[in-house]
Structures are given as C-alpha cells and as structure tokens.
C-alpha cells in the first residue's frame, strides 16, 4: 500500500468550496457583453448583472447582514429575484424565497422560523406582507422592489421600507465577496408543506446547488448560451437551481412575472427561447392560448416538465408545436429535479400511446444524484424490478438537502437508514425506470405546488359544524390536482358547501382552498383510520 | 445569525464522495444496450463494459490488490485501457498509466517510485517492459493483454504473466465494489517530466476527476451520446479525463491503437464520430492523409486541441474538412485541460488571420477550475490585463492535483502562496484571455508529450567529448516541437553529429533524442548561465 495521503493534503491551491456563485463571476469575466437578462423593455448584460449582484451583497454587508443570516424574498420572476440568488449568498447570507401565493399567517410563520433579517418584496405582495409583519415576531429590514411591470393596482403600495435600487446604490461592485467557508454552508432555505400543516424549512448547501445546477445542463442537454424563459417560479426549489444553471452556460434569463399564454408565446418568438420548465399546467396554458396569439417557432424548444407526467394529448400537441418534452421528478428536499425520464432514441419509433406511457414514468437518477431506488420502507431492501411491487422512492447523494431547519427529529426520520425517504410510493420497471404509483404522504400537487391535505383539514376542522374532514387530490384539467374535501357534519349541525369554502378561504392561501365539498359518511378502518384510498378513488370518478 | 449547522450534518443520505466511477454504473443501468466500445471488429455495449470493469475490480481484489495499491498500465488506446480506468479504482487501487514511448530505465523508475503491485501490458510493449522489469526493484503481477489488432511483429510476445482475459474470468460482475472512502482519495497517478530529468508522480483524486470529466461536457459542448474517437493517448493525463466524460453522457468510445490518418478517416466515417482530442500533430496527420483515403464528413466534428495553438493554415483546412476546433490548455497537474479558449460567436465574422490570432490564445478557466490568473511570481499580484506584461500562469481549484507523490517539498513549492504555479509565462489580454508567451520551465512539447530538456542534456553530458550541452525546442512541422541540441566540445575532443545522436539513443526514449546537433560556442550570461532565449531564437530560425 502506497501512502497516497502524506504531503498530499488539501489546501487553497487544490481545494475550493464548490459553489454556484462563481458561475456568475465566470460568465461576467468571459462574456461581459452577452445578454444576461430580459425583462419587459430591460436588457442587462452579464457585466451589469454581476455588478448588481455584488452591489447587493456589499450593501447587505453594510447593513450588518452576513454569514448565517436569513434574507427572505417575496418576489415574482423578475430581475431582483434572480439577483437575490447571487447577491444574498455573496454576502454569506441564506436566501429564503417564499411562495408568493401563501397566506399572511404562513408567511409570518416562515419569517419567524427562518429568523429573517431582511425581506425583499415586490409591490404586488406588500398587502399580504403587511398582514404577515403584523403577526410575526421578527422585524426584518424591508426592501421594496418597484417593478415597472407590476400590476397597475399595486402602484403606490409601500411598507415604508428601503427601496431596492437605493440599497443597491449603497453597494460597491468592487466588493470582495467572501467565498463560503465550506461547501456544506447553507445557501438557501425553502419551505415546503409536509405531512403536517406547518411548513418545513429545507436547507440547501453550496455543494448541492453547484452539482444540481451543472446536472441540469447535462440532463436538459443545454449547449452554451441557452435562452431560458422563466415559466417556473424561482421561489419553488430555487427554480430547480436554474438561476445558477443558466449562468453556468452564459445563457439569457427571460423574466416572466406571471404565467400568461400570449406573453409566453410572444417572448418565445421575440427572444428565441430554447428552454423552459414548469408543471403541466404551463403546457396547458400555452396550448389553450387563442390561435391568433400563438407563434410559429423556428427551432425546437426544450420543455422540462415536473409535478405530474404530461397526458398523451398534451404531449402530442406540444410536439406538434415544436417542443421536445423532458419529464423530471423531484422534491424540494432534492433541489427540485434529481430524477429524469431519460429518453431513449429508439423510443421515438414507438406508437404514440406507448411513448406517452414511457414518458409518464419518473425515470432514473440525475448524474448528480448518487443513488435512487424503490425500497421496502420496513426493510430498506429494493423491491423487485417487476413494474408491480410497490415500495418507497428513496434517494442518496449530494443533491439531497442538508436537512430541515431546527428539526433534528424530522431530519433524522427522513434520513433513516442512510436514505432520504421521499414518502412517494412507486414501482420499479424491469429497465430500472421508477414510476410513482401513490403518495404515502398526503400531498396534493396543484399547479406544481405542494398542498398538505392535513393543513387543509386543519382549517376545515376549525369550523364548528365539522366533525370529520378528509381532503384528497381530485384530478384537475387545469391545475393537475385540486383539493377535494369530504366532510361529516356534527349531529344537528349544518353548513353549506359555499359557506364552508368561504370559511376555508379565511384560513388558507387561495390555491389550497377545496374546490368542492362532498358531505358524506367517511369510510374508516376498524381502528378508525380514514381510508383515504377509497376517497381518492371516489375523487377520480367524481 | 441562524444556526444552519446543528442537526444538519452530512451523512450517507445527503453526502457521498464525488467519483467518476458511478458514471459507468449509471450508463450501464440506464442504457445497457447502447454501444459503449468499438475496437476493430469488437462491439461492446454498456452492460458488457460495466461487467468487465467490475470483474477486473473483483479479480484484482482476489489477488490482494486493494485500497492504496498502485496498478500500472502500459497500453495503447484499446478496450483494456478504458477498462483499467474503472476496474482499477473500483478495486480501491490507483491506476498509473505509463507513457508507452518511454525508455526502459524510466519505466523502471516509475514502477519503483509508484510501487506498482501489478502492471497491465500490451504485447507491443512487452520488450521494453522486460528490460524495465530487469532493472526495477518491485515485482508487479504482470497481466498480459492479447489485442488482436497488435502489430504482427508482436505476436507471440509474452512475459509469462497472467492473461488479462483469464484475470477477468476470475472476477465476479456482482462484486460490490467499494466507493472511495473519501472523494480526496487517489484515483490515478500520472508521471510527468518536470524541470529535472526524474519524472514526478502527479496524483489525481476522485473529486477532481469527477469535476474535470463533467467540466469537459460543458466545455466541449457535448450532448448525450457523443461518438468519441481515441486520438488522444489515454496514458496522457488519463486522456484528459475523457474515459470518464464519455461514459457520463453514455457515448461511444471508438478505440485507436495508433494515430494513422487513413484509419482515423475511416473510423470517423464508419461510426459517425462527433468528438476527438489531440495535439496539433493529429490534425496535421489527418490533413496529410492522401485525398483518396480521406472521407467526406456529413456532420460537424468537434476537435479539442491542446499542446500548441493550431496554425492559421491548419485551422482553415480543418474547418473546410468539417471540423469545429476548440483550443484548450492545461498540464498534467490539472487533469489535462482546465483552460479553454471559449469562442465568442461574433468572432466568426472576423477575418481569418484575426480568428487564428484569437484562437491562438489559451483562454479562460474551465467552469470546474475556480481561479486562473497571470501573476507576478514574486509578489503573487496579478499582472495588468494589457496583453504585454508577462507573468506566470497560476491556477487554484478543485481540478488541481493532490500533489506530487513522495515529494512534499516540490508539492509545497508548486502550491506556494495558495496557487498552483504552472511555470508557464503568459500575458493577460484586456478581455481576460490568457496567452502563453514562453515557458519558464525547460519543457519541449513534441507530439503532445513533455520532454525535459534537462533530461536530454544529462544524457548528452555523459558523452566524454561533450563540454556544454543546451537543448531547446525547435519548431517541427510534424511534431510541433522537437529537441535541438547545442554542444560545446571539450578541447581536443571530437564527435560527429551522427555519433552523438546514436549515443543519446542509448540513454533516452526515441522521441526525446535530439533531431539535430549544432556544434558551436554556447552564449552565456556574465554569471555563466546559458542564455536559452538566444538559442531558442536561433532554433526558430534554423
């Protein structure tokens, strides 16, 4: 045995923390004049984007915000949101992007739990933030973004905070931002609905963000200089790490405040978009655009879809419109996508229904994920690759989160036995491709966002007339899934469907409110456990 | 400050050693039936390649070879060489690929220095290995590869060792090969000529190999399933990590025993080659192929060139033949290429001479290299980016070697001040692109291989008639550079050019022998230091 260690230790010359932050520095150094950001009439090159991000880092530092501090963002897909993905961690701080559709109480909970020192907010979301700030304990520095494309109704909104542009003006583009002390340092914090109503704070680190971001290049087959349209919310798993991916290959970020069909088509045609991501609802929105507002695409566009497999008819229509569809799967806990339905070239010769069935499978591990398997959750032994035996999808690798913030017990449970337990039930096909079959956790995915059925049930249970509440996913043509509530009333009590929905709206973000209520006796096991699979079957048929 | 550490420690679920070995496992799992290797009439799919590599690992383990043991390889670019890049580290061992053009004494030195436990050898190189084994102290297990494409003259060669196929037959494809204990573990050992005659053992680790291998995908713009022709020796910096790169994207390795123009063109046409690498001499060889043996290419081929910038005429001829040329730069110490002449699309509009001048620059850092700069070696301050001020090229990052084996002092000197000192002198242009101007180390690059001028001088000095020997690079149309010797004879002594060249051949590998000798008084400084720059100028004009 040769001594391959002594005198061969890591040092600054041969070991640096992996971080996606250097992607921007490289793009700015090598391609300073390339178009980095498009937003309405705004055009920003890489030199300018880099300088603005470093100014943000510098200014945050001047405000005493640094290593291990949390900076929240309540922003749509506008340049400030992209800048936060670099500027906040360049200050050593941790970016907490918040789902802009959340209700004030949940936002307040997140701000408190993450101990936000600052929050960057768009005018459109100032009303909900005002309510949240009135409820939370932390008093973050409020930084207000005045986006010219914000809705007219939001004009004039202010929380009396600091203007984002004024903050940047305090910064110095020559600021020598500190590299992370360790690649295991936190870079972002993403709250996700879990099995309980309280969102969990998923912590990402620099190493994982770098690896998933470059992994996207390999999986999405991105050549240099892609033109990326921001149909996927950046608040969702940091936009699957694409804020970093696009800069790694010096591409152009085409911003998009809201997912609207005509705008999407217009931006695609104007800027020669090559790549975009989103839930199937984005496809549905695009396909539902009036013909007059659609555009003919002169090159193939890669659409990376997740959240649910695209239905056969949608797939066919997308292909006809010039898209190559790539189906990926993941969870907030694995930086967004870490599983890809890697398409075999010879599958293109198969009949359309067979192609759709192949495409419906979640697939195989990203190159950046070291292991993916379907295991018996009790024994942690792999299920047979027979396409029939159910098990739990488990992952292991460098693109699995650091863990849940301030929740060691839940983190340990999630990582029990050295595997990340996704909670998703699946089968493994003979070719090793994984396909989800059911969810062991009670999650409804609506418009690409997770909704905890238990959170919805909790809200319904607050109504005095409700005895038992059970919420399941109902297939929804537009949103993929929508919450459907089954209710047993208390004896003698009464409430109408409309009244109960109105009640739920007071306690839940709009997208979490049940679309419909079924008043009925709820099937239970002999031990009193609600038989959700019976309700789900009913919801599918309803 | 939020506690982003407690309860968020790394464990097996969220932290795995980075290693390129999993690339093969993934390709075999996802694309088992895809063509992995072409060699003569041989066709091997990914399932078979993976099984053979794991069998090699398993068999080596059965022979008691494991973690930290060195396994040498003296092989051309044949399947066994590719298999060693996976099978040897899958046994936990370190692969030491040896330049097949080296002389026996140097091979013996390398085997002893690296403490080789085994050596895998092709019949063609058994004669030189026989001589080496007679000189070295170690007694490695000799594993003999019987390649059907080996030269007729080598048929029947044997060292009485174990047959490679017999060794593989001992192995078990179900062997659970051990992951590296740490991504900092050594994966390969590459000897390079340095400023002294003794080669230095450059140690690579799994982390760097993984990052450079994926970095190649980004830099070479590789989509999935490239067809890669092995014009670059795998013994040279592990073929710039392409044995791993190609498997990362489930491509096809087209093997090539020897760089011969007609064979190259035929393989390109037959297999639809998309990518190849090499020194400019490979280009020259291809272009010099008789027209009748050239083929028309039906798609663009990416040629990644290093060692010297391609001359304008060669560049033009390559483009006309259907190649896109990418110029990279690196050293053995940085896993091969870590700097790339990243081409700007708008440069295509410039006149040909200007394009050639732009292409001649070494360029900018790979995405996988964290820092590249031209520094004043005394102060470690960056030189101005004026295209004129000389400094030393320095690098810092994860694709810089672990260090030199058993040579802490030289390693520390190479990493002084937290930078890897390349020894190459360069300027930095206003756009940040680096361009080599001279070499501070006395290295001649001939056919892509480093030759230490001092080693050549040492050999010449052994001749009793030689008083002073000074060897410099002479531009060579075929090899890029070739050694040219300037000799001062001892008073009264005499030797002819032919005699001295014949003498040198006894002490040096053939490619290191001076092509010509100039007998003359050698210019020296007042302190007696040989003025090599004067000799180089003369060599350029000679």
């Amino acid at each position: 045995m040769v001594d391959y260690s002594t005198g061969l230790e890591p040092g600054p010359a041969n070991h640096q923390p992996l971080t996606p932050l250097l992607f921007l520095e490289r793009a700015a150094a090598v391609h300073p004049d390339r178009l980095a950001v498009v937003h309405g009439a705004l055009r920003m090159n890489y030199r300018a984007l880099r300088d603005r991000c470093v100014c943000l880092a510098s200014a945050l530092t001047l405000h005493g915000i640094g290593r291990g501090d949390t900076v929240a963002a309540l922003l749509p897909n506008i340049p400030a949101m992209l800048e936060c993905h670099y500027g906040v961690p360049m200050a050593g701080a941790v970016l907490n992007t918040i789902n802009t559709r959340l209700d004030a109480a949940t936002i307040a909970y997140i701000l408190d739990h993450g101990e936000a020192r600052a929050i960057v907010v768009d005018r459109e979301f100032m009303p909900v933030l005002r309510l949240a700030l009135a409820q939370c304990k932390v008093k973050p520095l409020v930084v207000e973004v005045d986006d010219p494309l914000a809705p007219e109704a939001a004009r004039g909104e202010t929380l009396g905070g600091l203007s984002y542009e004024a903050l940047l003006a305090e910064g110095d583009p020559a600021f020598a931002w500190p590299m992370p002390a360790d690649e295991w340092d936190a870079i972002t914090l993403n709250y996700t609905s879990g099995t309980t109503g309280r969102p969990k704070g998923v912590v990402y680190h620099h190493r994982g963000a770098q690896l998933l971001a470059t992994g996207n290049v390999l999986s999405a087959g991105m050549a240099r200089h892609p033109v990326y349209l921001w149909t996927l919310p950046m608040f969702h798993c940091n936009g699957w790490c694409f804020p970093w991916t696009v800069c790694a290959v010096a591409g152009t970020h085409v911003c998009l405040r809201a997912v609207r069909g005509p705008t999407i088509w217009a931006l695609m045609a104007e800027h020669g978009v090559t790549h975009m991501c989103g839930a199937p609802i984005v496809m549905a929105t695009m396909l539902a655009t009036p013909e007059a507002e659609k555009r003919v695409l002169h090159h193939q566009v890669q659409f990376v879809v997740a959240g649910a497999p695209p239905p056969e008819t949608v797939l066919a229509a997308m292909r006809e419109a010039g898209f190559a569809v790539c189906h990926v799967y993941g969870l907030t806990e694995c930086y967004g996508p870490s599983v890809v339905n890697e398409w075999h070239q010879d599958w293109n010769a198969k009949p359309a229904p067979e192609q759709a069935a192949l495409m419906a499978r979640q697939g195989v591990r990203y190159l950046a994920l070291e292991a993916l398997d379907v295991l018996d959750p009790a024994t942690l032994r792999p299920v047979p690759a027979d396409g029939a035996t159910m098990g739990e999808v488990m992952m292991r690798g460098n693109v699995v989160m650091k863990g849940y913030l301030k929740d060691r017990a839940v983190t340990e449970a999630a990582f029990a036995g050295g595997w990340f337990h996704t909670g998703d039930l699946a089968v493994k096909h003979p070719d090793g491709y994984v396909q989800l079959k059911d969810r062991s956790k009670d999650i409804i995915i609506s418009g690409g966002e997770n909704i905890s059925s238990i959170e919805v049930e909790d809200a319904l249970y607050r109504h005095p007339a409700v005895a038992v509440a059970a919420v399941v996913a109902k297939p929804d043509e537009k949103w993929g899934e929508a919450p459907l509530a089954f209710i047993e009333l208390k004896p003698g009590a009464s409430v109408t469907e409309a009244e109960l929905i109105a009640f739920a709206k007071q306690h839940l973000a709009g997208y979490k409110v049940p679309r419909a209520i079924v008043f009925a006796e709820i099937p239970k096991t002999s031990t009193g456990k609600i038989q959700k699979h019976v309700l789900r079957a009913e919801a599918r048929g309803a």
Side-chain angles (χ1 to χ4, degrees), chain A:
Chain A
M1 187 164 158
V2 184
D3 180 357
Y4 276 107
S5 303
T6 308
L8 299 168
E9 297 82 6
N14 61 3
H15 191 282
Q16 289 287 323
L18 290 173
T19 172
L21 301 181
L22 289 176
F23 296 169
L24 178 60
E25 289 288 358
R26 185 182 186 279
V30 179
H31 301 287
D33 297 316
R34 270 202 88 87
L35 185 60
V37 182
V38 168
H39 181 56
L42 176 82
R43 301 290 179 272
M44 198 193 303
N45 65 23
Y46 266 104
R47 185 189 293 108
L49 176 61
R50 181 260 171 217
D51 283 356
R52 285 175 60 86
C53 292
V54 176
C55 281
L56 174 56
S58 163
L60 288 172
T61 305
L62 291 173
H63 281 265
I65 293 169
R67 207 175 290 282
D69 289 331
T70 304
V71 174
L74 195 60
L75 296 167
N77 283 352
I78 59 175
M81 182 62 143
L82 178 63
E83 289 158 6
C84 283
H85 276 81
Y86 289 94
V88 170
M90 279 172 166
V94 177
L95 176 65
N96 171 214
T97 56
I98 299 177
N99 185 333
T100 55
R101 285 177 263 168
L102 288 175
D103 58 301
T106 306
I107 293 173
Y109 172 81
I110 288 171
L111 293 174
D112 276 339
H113 189 266
E115 303 174 41
R117 290 280 315 274
I119 181 162
V120 185
V121 60
D122 181 87
R123 287 186 303 194
E124 187 177 354
F125 308 110
M126 289 185 195
V128 70
L129 181 60
R130 183 178 293 118
L131 294 173
L133 290 174
Q135 296 173 51
C136 66
K137 292 186 206 77
V138 292
K139 297 288 164 231
L141 172 72
V142 175
V143 180
E144 305 186 351
V145 179
D146 183 29
D147 178 31
L149 300 193
E152 199 57 42
R155 288 217 173 268
E157 284 286 351
T158 178
L159 295 167
L162 191 60
S163 135
Y164 179 73
E165 292 300 327
L167 179 70
L168 258 61
E170 295 175 24
D172 175 8
F175 173 63
W177 58 271
M179 281 279 278
D182 190 291
E183 64 196 39
W184 195 254
D185 283 0
I187 184 168
T188 55
L189 173 64
N190 288 282
Y191 282 85
T192 180
S193 294
T195 45
T196 67
R198 283 304 196 188
K200 288 179 292 187
V202 173
V203 182
Y204 290 179
H205 49 67
H206 285 258
R207 172 182 170 97
Q210 200 272 11
L211 293 170
L212 204 282
T214 50
N216 280 334
V217 176
L218 276 75
S219 284
M222 270 187 169
R224 215 175 348 264
H225 311 315
V227 180
Y228 184 88
L229 180 61
W230 270 107
T231 37
L232 177 79
M234 282 191 235
F235 66 66
H236 185 88
C237 311
N238 299 114
W240 302 351
C241 298
F242 277 92
W244 302 307
T245 297
V246 174
C247 294
V249 281
T252 301
H253 297 266
V254 180
C255 291
L256 185 70
R257 269 196 78 97
V259 173
R260 301 277 175 271
T263 316
I264 291 173
W265 285 101
L267 290 172
M268 291 181 68
E270 186 179 351
H271 303 292
V273 167
T274 60
H275 291 77
M276 55 200 297
C277 301
I281 186 165
V282 177
M283 293 180 170
T285 302
M286 292 177 63
L287 294 172
T289 305
E291 286 307 317
E293 303 197 72
K294 285 188 190 169
R295 304 294 179 89
V296 176
L297 303 178
H298 297 287
H299 57 277
Q300 200 177 49
V301 178
Q302 179 92 25
F303 194 111
V304 183
V305 64
E312 184 183 335
T313 49
V314 170
L315 204 56
M318 288 295 284
R319 284 188 175 165
E320 206 178 325
F323 290 83
V325 176
C326 174
H327 179 205
V328 298
Y329 155 72
L331 302 91
T332 301
E333 286 85 344
C334 58
Y335 296 73
S338 60
V339 174
V340 56
N341 182 297
E342 193 157 307
W343 197 249
H344 287 224
Q345 287 167 347
D346 55 1
W347 292 349
N348 288 324
K350 293 183 185 284
E354 209 174 318
Q355 286 194 37
L358 287 167
M359 175 73 82
R361 309 185 309 166
Q362 275 63 35
V364 296
R365 68 178 177 90
Y366 253 46
L367 195 70
L369 181 72
E370 276 70 15
L372 168 76
D373 210 338
V374 180
L375 306 181
D376 179 318
T379 63
L380 293 188
R381 283 206 205 95
V383 301
D386 57 9
T389 311
M390 298 264 281
E392 186 175 350
V393 178
M394 305 224 186
M395 302 174 178
R396 167 184 280 177
N398 295 306
V399 292
V400 170
M401 64 171 177
K402 271 184 93 144
Y404 299 112
L405 185 66
K406 302 178 187 173
D407 207 338
R408 184 190 283 274
V410 175
T411 301
E412 284 177 357
F415 290 164
W419 287 91
F420 167 55
H421 300 235
T422 65
D424 285 336
L425 296 184
V427 298
K428 194 162 60 173
H429 288 280
D431 64 357
Y433 279 57
V434 163
Q435 183 163 21
L436 297 195
K437 283 300 178 183
D438 198 359
R439 297 211 162 80
S440 65
K441 292 191 300 194
D442 261 317
I443 294 295
I444 299 157
I445 303 186
S446 188
E449 292 302 320
N450 287 359
I451 300 172
S452 159
S453 63
I454 296 171
E455 183 190 4
V456 181
E457 289 159 11
D458 283 346
L460 294 169
Y461 273 118
R462 295 192 202 177
H463 191 281
V466 170
V468 182
V471 174
V472 297
K474 178 175 158 54
D476 185 285
E477 207 169 321
K478 184 170 177 200
W479 299 101
E481 294 177 344
L484 172 67
F486 290 82
I487 299 290
E488 275 182 37
L489 291 180
K490 289 179 182 165
S494 83
V495 63
T496 67
E497 181 176 18
E499 283 166 2
L500 197 50
I501 287 174
F503 176 84
K505 276 189 183 150
Q506 297 170 31
H507 299 283
L508 294 168
Y511 70 102
K512 297 180 181 173
V513 173
R515 297 291 188 287
I517 309 270
V518 177
F519 294 96
E521 192 183 333
I522 292 175
K524 303 182 195 72
T525 66
S526 58
T527 59
K529 207 177 161 207
I530 293 173
Q531 293 187 290
K532 282 226 171 162
H533 64 279
V534 176
L535 298 178
R536 283 194 198 101
E538 196 175 327
R540 278 194 294 273

